[in-house]
Amino acid sequence: MSLNDHWMQRDLNVLWHPCTQMKDHEQLPLVPIRRGEGVWLEDFDGKRYLDAVSSWWVNVFGHANPRIGARIKEQVDQLEHVMLAGFSHQPVIELSERLVRITPAGLNKVFYADNGSSGIEVALKMSYHYWLNSGKADKKRFITLSNSYHGETVAAMSVGDVALFTDTYKALLLDTIKVPSPDCYLRPDGMGWEEHSRNLFAAMEQTLAEHHHEVAAVIVEPLIQGAGGMRMYHPVYLSLLREACDRYGVHLIHDEIAVGFGRTGTMFACEQAGITPDFLVLSKALTGGYLPMAAVLTTDEVYSAFYDDYATLRAFLHSHTYTGNPLACAAALATLDIFEQDGVIEANRKLAARMASATAHLADHPHVAEVRQTGMALAIEMVQDKAGKVAYPWQQRRGLQVYRHALQRGALLRPLGSVVYFLPPYVISEEQIDFLAEVASEGIDLATRESFSVVQGDSRYPGFRDPG
């Protein structure tokens, strides 16, 4: 038995993995990772995999980054944790100051949580509570976009719209209002992104006009709807939305958990619309992929609505045990140092251009409907009928074939359904981008063959039985 097989078996005896049908691992290889370095992950048998998805979109400066690691090690010997209620510490103060400085003007207060979903819960609760404190208790609903995803805790699911994650739990969810997404994949032939996004705003305008009296906030993933298939839209939609939210007296929540910190080509996606949301939710790349942390930035106006004598019970009594953890703050500070010192945003423009050129040929593939890109996020949409953009039935799991082929070739590509995407660490080289494009092209060719069957076993993966 190989070392990989040894660790796989021990894992499957005791672990229940996230976002996984565990029965898949009767055929699908579970990959135990021994170490990471830069863009590479290495298993226990010494095989390396290029991490094309930044380990669920968090690892922007590579695995085992020496600068982030050194900052955490230094902090470990000083202070590992202290509760943030009634106490504070240097790393969380410095991080808060820097976040206020680099985010759009007006976001002057920072509230911390432990992960992205928890950060969304904070923003939703804070928005509702603001209106309650302001004497407008009827403003308790939220408007969200179709095909959106904001996390998997109950309120976060409520403002999401990816059926795979939400349908099972409908009985538990809040009553929210869904508005059609400005997703530009669905635009008519010959129409540009900006025109389509402007046109789709009419539905939001009408919804706000009809429901603003009962709506606390609109929540969006700016520019890229991640788990919904890396669907993208034009920043003009965000500009129109900011103006409308102001006009109707509704908060605007930007979920930049996935797209913040340079992913879209600017430090924050909202910069491309020239706006400041009322709440900006950050996580994932905040700590460079090292430790869980989320930050919710908001305005002085929101903060002031909670600032009163204790007896009024207007305080925001929400907490997480590891809120503002010093080790996570140290990782975040080191991450921000790299952004500041290394010219990352500018360097990413060259890498983004290489991603575009390396995958341009796939636009002509008979089973690729679109190759789309925003900054350092690129998506390739596989379809059974190119002309009509007819999707493959989800049951066929075409993306799974791309994933399996990529593992064989030494790459971690984890498609979203039939959407193959690159969301690599910013330390990737142009040659490594070319390799990913080659692997993705091969995988798409395999996955879109008419003879492809998803139920057959695969003898290339020893140790996983063929169900026959």
Side-chain angles (χ1 to χ4, degrees):
M1 177 183 289
S2 72
L3 281 173
N4 266 7
D5 288 341
H6 168 80
W7 286 106
M8 276 190 262
Q9 191 56 58
R10 287 178 63 174
D11 176 292
L12 293 172
N13 286 342
V14 291
L15 263 69
W16 191 343
H17 286 263
C19 206
T20 300
Q21 170 49 260
M22 292 301 294
K23 194 173 191 297
D24 280 351
H25 287 308
E26 293 179 4
Q27 298 180 63
L28 183 67
L30 181 72
V31 186
I33 295 299
R34 183 178 70 90
R35 62 185 297 272
E37 183 178 5
V39 299
W40 296 102
L41 296 165
E42 183 180 306
D43 68 20
F44 282 80
D45 290 339
K47 182 168 183 176
R48 298 202 305 168
Y49 307 86
L50 202 160
D51 188 353
V53 298
S54 299
S55 289
W56 259 347
W57 321 348
V58 300
N59 191 280
V60 288
F61 294 129
H63 299 280
N65 183 287
R67 291 154 75 181
I68 302 175
R71 189 70 172 263
I72 295 170
K73 290 171 187 175
E74 180 184 355
Q75 184 60 45
V76 164
D77 290 333
Q78 297 178 24
L79 177 67
E80 79 299 334
H81 185 62
V82 63
M83 67 178 182
L84 210 60
F87 290 81
S88 191
H89 52 84
Q90 182 177 338
V92 78
I93 295 168
E94 292 181 349
L95 177 59
S96 303
E97 290 172 341
R98 290 183 70 172
L99 289 175
V100 167
R101 188 164 67 245
I102 67 174
T103 52
L107 297 171
N108 296 327
K109 292 293 186 289
V110 189
F111 192 99
Y112 290 95
D114 292 353
N115 58 75
S117 296
S118 297
I120 294 298
E121 302 269 340
V122 167
L124 296 175
K125 286 178 64 176
M126 204 176 272
S127 175
Y128 161 73
H129 200 164
Y130 167 90
W131 295 114
L132 183 66
N133 283 353
S134 303
K136 297 181 179 180
D138 289 342
K139 292 173 75 66
K140 57 188 177 183
R141 298 183 74 189
F142 298 94
I143 297 174
T144 187
L145 299 177
S146 62
N147 195 46
S148 57
Y149 174 90
H150 298 286
E152 292 172 40
T153 50
V154 172
M157 279 195 300
S158 298
V159 292
D161 188 45
V162 178
L164 181 65
F165 299 107
T166 60
D167 276 4
T168 301
Y169 306 104
K170 277 184 176 179
L172 304 179
L173 304 184
L174 304 175
D175 177 25
T176 57
I177 302 169
K178 302 291 191 295
V179 171
S181 168
D183 169 12
C184 289
Y185 176 69
L186 304 174
R187 69 192 185 280
D189 289 343
M191 183 176 288
W193 280 32
E194 181 173 357
E195 183 181 1
H196 179 70
S197 295
R198 282 185 179 276
N199 290 344
L200 264 291
F201 188 74
M204 179 65 77
E205 175 75 35
Q206 180 179 347
T207 301
L208 283 168
E210 293 176 0
H211 295 281
H212 64 91
H213 62 282
E214 59 174 334
V215 169
V218 178
I219 181 170
V220 297
E221 297 163 274
L223 302 186
I224 303 174
Q225 293 186 298
M230 294 294 160
R231 296 289 179 83
M232 303 174 184
Y233 60 94
H234 194 277
V236 70
Y237 190 92
L238 302 175
S239 303
L240 295 169
L241 181 56
R242 174 70 279 179
E243 187 277 330
C245 285
D246 288 342
R247 184 158 32 93
Y248 287 109
V250 169
H251 287 147
L252 175 57
I253 301 171
H254 269 207
D255 172 356
E256 295 215 21
I257 292 166
V259 300
F261 300 102
R263 185 57 67 179
T264 65
T266 50
M267 192 64 167
F268 302 103
C270 51
E271 294 175 32
Q272 296 185 38
I275 65 167
T276 299
D278 299 291
F279 301 89
L280 178 63
V281 186
L282 305 172
S283 190
K284 290 195 181 287
L286 171 60
T287 66
Y290 270 71
L291 289 161
M293 171 177 266
V296 181
L297 285 88
T298 191
T299 63
D300 289 331
E301 180 184 356
V302 170
Y303 177 81
S304 296
F306 296 84
Y307 196 90
D308 208 336
D309 293 331
Y310 182 82
T312 64
L313 298 181
R314 293 163 67 90
F316 189 61
L317 300 178
H318 180 105
S319 62
H320 298 276
T321 303
Y322 283 95
T323 291
N325 174 259
L327 302 179
C329 289
L333 286 165
T335 299
L336 294 182
D337 283 346
I338 296 172
F339 274 109
E340 186 176 296
Q341 296 166 12
D342 290 15
V344 173
I345 303 298
E346 184 176 342
N348 279 358
R349 294 192 184 104
K350 187 176 181 182
L351 294 174
R354 187 59 165 253
M355 286 167 60
S357 62
T359 56
H361 65 283
L362 286 167
D364 297 323
H365 192 285
H367 290 286
V368 170
E370 182 176 66
V371 180
R372 54 183 173 269
Q373 183 176 8
T374 298
M376 287 291 288
L378 183 142
I380 305 152
E381 185 116 9
M382 296 187 294
V383 290
Q384 62 179 344
D385 177 63
K386 186 182 183 82
K389 292 185 177 178
V390 178
Y392 285 108
W394 65 265
Q395 295 90 342
Q396 293 182 6
R397 303 181 76 182
R398 300 274 172 160
L400 181 62
Q401 180 73 346
V402 179
Y403 172 74
R404 298 178 78 159
H405 174 74
L407 288 183
Q408 187 72 12
R409 289 277 274 119
L412 168 54
L413 284 169
R414 185 182 168 95
L416 294 158
S418 293
V419 177
V420 179
Y421 72 92
F422 299 171
L423 215 87
Y426 304 156
V427 294
I428 195 170
S429 70
E430 293 188 357
E431 293 72 25
Q432 289 163 346
I433 289 171
D434 292 344
F435 167 68
L436 287 181
E438 178 182 302
V439 171
S441 298
E442 295 169 354
I444 289 168
D445 284 342
L446 285 170
T448 57
R449 288 177 181 170
E450 291 302 317
S451 60
F452 168 61
S453 170
V454 297
V455 297
Q456 63 191 22
D458 195 330
S459 60
R460 292 179 299 171
Y461 303 111
F464 293 87
R465 69 175 181 86
D466 186 331

